[in-house]
Every structure is written in C-alpha cells, then in structure tokens.
Amino acid sequence: MQNHSQVSPPPPRRWLQGGSVARALLGGLFALGLVAGCERIAFYSTGRPPPDSNEGSTTASSSSGGSSGDPTGGMGTVTRATLIDAIATCNLELLDTFQKAAQELSTAAAKAKTDPQARAEAQAAWSKAIDLWQRAEPFQFGPGGPTNTPGGQGLRDTLYSWPLVSRCLVEQNIVSKAYEAADFGTTALINMRGLAAAEYLLFYTGTDNACNPASAINTSGSWAALSADELASRKAAYASSVSSGIAAMAGKLLGAWRPGEGDFDTQFRNAGKSGSAYTTEQMALNAVSDAMFHVEIQVKDQKLARPLGILDCANATCPEAVESRFAGRSRVHVRNNLVGFRMLMSGCKDGEGVGFDDVLTALGATALAEKMSADVNGAIAAADAVPSDDLAQALAQNPESVKQLHDAVKRITDSLKTEFVTVLDLELPQTVEGDND
C-alpha cells in the first residue's frame, strides 16, 4: 500500500471556524490570558510554531496524574514534547498487545476450523482482541489514520471497518468460497474481512442470510443448498481466513510504528524536526486531537445517538443500529473506547501518567483539566451502569441507562470541541466544524 506520509496538510483554516460556542468563549479566555489575539491561525494547517512558544516551552509544575504525584517521572514540568513521548510509548505498548492478541485469535480460529468444539476458544480470543482494538480506536493517527493525514496509511479500516459492514457480502463469499484465496484476509474489500466479519462468522449460528430475495445466492438456490453442517464448516473456514488476515494487518500496523521497521514512532516523537511528517509539535498534537474525536463521531453519534433514536433514526429507537450485533458486546465496546480516550486525556495507565490534562494545567486551565478527567470517569461509570452488554437489549429493558450513557459521553464531547481545542489552540476536524450538538 502506498505510504502517504508526505501528503500536504489541509489548507489553512482559522480556529474561529470552530463554531459560535468557541467564539463565545473568547471573552473569558482573554481574561485568563490564554488567547493572544483573535486572528491566530491554527498551527496544524500552517505548520507554524505557536507564538512565543519555542516549540515545547509550555511548562508547569506537575500537579496531577501519576501515582507519585509527578506524571513526568521526576522531571517536574510538562512540555508538548513530554506529552508526545508519553503518547508514543502508550501507542506502541497498546499496538504490541493488540498484535499478540490478534495472533492468538488467528491460532484459535485455525483450530476451530478443524475442531468445531474449539469455537468457544476462538470466540474468547476474538473478544480479547476486539477489547484491545476498541481501546486503540481513539489512537488512529499516523499509519492507522486516513491516507490524507500525515503518515496515514488507512490501516484502521483493514482491521475494523465498522460502521461500514455488510453481512450480505460476507454471506455471498460463504457461497462462493472466495475466502479460500491465500491473500483474502489482507486484500478483500474491508467489509468482507477484519474483526467485524470475524464476529459474524464466529458468533452467528443461524442458517438464514441477510441478502435481498433477488440476490443470486437466493434466486439460484445456492444458499438454500447448504446444509447446517456445511454452513457451519464454511463459516469456520472463513473465520480462520480473516483471522489470519487480522493478525497480518495488526503486524503491519505495529511494524509501521515500530523502531527498526517503519519507525513512524520516531517521526512522531521528533515532530518539528527534519524528517518528521509533522512540521511542528503542535501539528502532531492536532493529529492526536483529531483522532480523539472518535468519541464524538462514532461513540456519541453512531454507537449511542442513532440506536437511541436521537440521530438518523426514523423510529422511536433503532436497536438494529447497535454495534456488535452478533457477539452482543456493544456496551463493552463503548466502555473500551472511553478507556482509550482516557489513556490520551489523563495518562496511559488507567489515567495515570502524562496526558492532555497536564498540558491544560500547564496553560492555567486546571479547572477544565479536572472537569474533563472527571467527565471521562463519569462516562465509564455510566457504561458500567448499563445492565446489559448488548445495548439493543438494554434499549428494550432499560433505555434510560443508555440515554444516561449518551449524556455522559456528550459532556466529554461538549468540552472537547469547545474549551479543549480553544485553550490548546487546536483545530476541529472538518467533520465536526459548526456542529453544536
């Protein structure tokens, strides 16, 4: 796959485009001395260092984070470079752990291919791998990010394409046995493979299909001709194929970051220096900030608002829109997304260590840092309070608990797209500019 690490950054956009809420904050921010002038340009676009910063000169005595009370490990100050190093270390550790889990899934699925009794073991391996991946979702910058971003190779979608999924396409491949191609798990359309396809194949035991009655697999009778045993056998073989591909793509993503291989880790840590895809440290942090909006775009809107009937739903609720329809782990997925977000916001080890909250504190926005950290922990607690791992079931039995989870996540995202980006002088992703929801 072509490496797009040299893609030019998007055209400059003034940070005032963040919406009316951000503009309303200006008076208070001027009073706090946090805004130098209303015409400042977002440094993610321009590649210019923040004024009077000397790239990384923003410091403060540490007052939150690690178990020792000093998240910098004795340094006593927090800089942009300190935060970038902490994120880089956290990212590598997470991707390494996920790659090992992906390999375990590949091994377990290969075993289940020949031993139907091993399917439960493969399901458990999938659950372990997806739990780790959901934590990594807010980390999709660099090679995991879109190809039009610095260093982006679009590798996220090759591992987990949700919400771009197609059960019918998977079922067409069950009939055609397209999954038997040696490179299927790494080259097929993303909605035919990856963790989402593996979930259906490992967990769904029904003999029906989701294709239109006019689809060839139905009109030809080829689906109906498959016995229950043959269907189960083909699903197991298909699951093994895509699980092998998951392990390969997990290794590719880790390798793209790992020193001694693709080594994007060094480019990220050396933001602002020659050879880096990021011309400033601020640009690197903006890339991370953009990835953190996963909690706004996918978690709040796609995973919660849509099933709740708040967004893009013609009925009172749309339980069919929940994630993880076959394994029934949609609540767990949301919780792990929030844990991943907390790793960036408050520190990698369960909110311990260096995170964005320390930089906010360095800028004098201690109250905002404390509020956002508390809101993240509150949202995780709200996820724990939902009585079922399957949000579709929770919507039927206790819809208020799902609504409370949505509202708790919204408290995070309301701060994320207003005070957070404004105080840190970051740009909103284009997908949320002007969105006041």
Side-chain angles (χ1 to χ4, degrees):
M1 184 176 294
Q2 183 179 357
N3 189 318
H4 294 269
S5 62
Q6 298 304 315
V7 170
S8 299
R13 302 194 306 270
R14 294 190 184 277
W15 67 283
L16 284 176
Q17 290 177 331
S20 58
V21 177
R23 287 192 294 271
L25 290 167
L26 284 174
L29 291 171
F30 273 119
L32 290 172
L34 296 175
V35 179
C38 64
E39 292 300 310
R40 291 174 72 181
I41 304 297
F43 306 111
Y44 181 58
S45 295
T46 66
R48 292 168 51 198
D52 305 321
S53 73
N54 294 320
E55 275 300 351
S57 64
T58 297
T59 62
S61 297
S62 300
S63 59
S64 63
S67 58
S68 66
D70 181 1
T72 65
M75 290 174 59
T77 59
V78 176
T79 68
R80 292 178 180 84
T82 305
L83 177 58
I84 288 170
D85 277 342
I87 292 171
T89 298
C90 189
N91 177 65
L92 270 182
E93 291 175 352
L94 183 56
L95 292 182
D96 182 69
T97 305
F98 169 69
Q99 189 274 334
K100 290 180 172 65
Q103 188 58 55
E104 291 174 14
L105 170 59
S106 179
T107 300
K111 181 179 178 181
K113 177 181 177 180
T114 57
D115 178 10
Q117 299 302 313
R119 188 163 69 95
E121 181 181 341
Q123 290 174 333
W126 179 88
S127 297
K128 178 180 179 180
I130 194 68
D131 284 355
L132 288 165
W133 182 254
Q134 294 289 352
R135 294 188 179 197
E137 285 277 70
F139 283 75
Q140 298 318 308
F141 49 90
T147 55
N148 63 345
T149 60
Q153 297 181 31
L155 296 181
R156 180 266 177 188
D157 287 349
T158 68
L159 286 157
Y160 190 59
S161 62
W162 192 91
L164 184 60
V165 294
S166 175
R167 176 181 162 185
C168 177
L169 284 178
V170 171
E171 289 163 339
Q172 290 174 1
N173 289 328
I174 290 174
V175 171
S176 69
K177 290 188 171 183
Y179 57 82
E180 291 184 337
D183 62 350
F184 181 88
T186 56
T187 62
L189 294 176
I190 58 172
N191 53 358
M192 296 179 177
R193 57 181 168 121
L195 288 159
E199 177 187 358
Y200 166 75
L201 295 163
L202 289 171
F203 287 87
Y204 189 66
T205 58
T207 58
D208 61 314
N209 69 72
C211 295
N212 189 288
S215 173
I217 67 170
N218 289 319
T219 58
S220 68
S222 53
W223 179 272
L226 298 175
S227 68
D229 287 345
E230 176 64 16
L231 186 58
S233 176
R234 291 192 185 193
K235 284 183 178 179
Y238 193 161
S240 179
S241 174
V242 297
S243 295
S244 175
I246 291 165
M249 298 312 297
K252 182 175 182 178
L253 177 57
L254 175 61
W257 275 96
R258 192 156 50 189
E261 297 183 44
D263 199 13
F264 195 78
D265 180 73
T266 295
Q267 288 201 50
F268 181 67
R269 291 180 194 266
N270 288 342
K273 299 178 182 177
S274 177
S276 174
Y278 304 104
T279 57
T280 66
E281 291 175 346
Q282 189 77 354
M283 184 180 178
L285 292 180
N286 215 133
V288 179
S289 171
D290 282 356
M292 292 168 70
F293 272 84
H294 174 273
V295 76
E296 156 83 9
I297 299 164
Q298 287 207 3
V299 178
K300 178 177 72 69
D301 290 347
Q302 294 282 350
K303 300 188 181 189
L304 295 171
R306 189 177 176 206
L308 277 163
I310 298 171
L311 182 70
D312 297 333
C313 174
N315 302 314
T317 61
C318 285
E320 70 280 0
V322 300
E323 189 181 18
S324 190
R325 295 181 63 189
F326 308 106
R329 294 177 65 81
S330 43
R331 179 198 68 83
V332 183
H333 287 359
V334 169
R335 188 188 193 281
N336 278 310
N337 291 159
L338 292 168
V339 169
F341 183 90
R342 184 173 65 182
M343 293 164 75
L344 293 165
M345 183 67 210
S346 302
C348 193
K349 306 295 184 182
D350 295 325
E352 301 290 337
V354 175
F356 274 95
D357 60 342
D358 297 298
V359 177
L360 289 170
T361 299
L363 289 168
T366 303
L368 175 60
E370 292 176 349
K371 178 185 184 300
M372 291 193 70
S373 295
D375 285 345
V376 174
N377 288 330
I380 291 172
D384 290 337
V386 176
S388 172
D389 283 349
D390 184 355
L391 288 178
Q393 184 175 336
L395 279 171
Q397 298 177 348
N398 191 341
E400 182 57 27
S401 67
V402 185
K403 179 62 166 58
Q404 289 175 359
L405 174 56
H406 169 272
D407 292 348
V409 174
K410 188 175 185 298
R411 282 190 285 274
I412 300 169
T413 61
D414 283 350
S415 296
L416 182 67
K417 61 189 179 182
T418 54
E419 296 103 322
F420 179 87
V421 295
T422 303
V423 171
L424 295 176
D425 206 12
L426 302 169
E427 283 188 349
L428 285 170
Q430 291 182 344
T431 50
V432 296
E433 281 189 345
D435 176 15
N436 293 318
D437 177 30

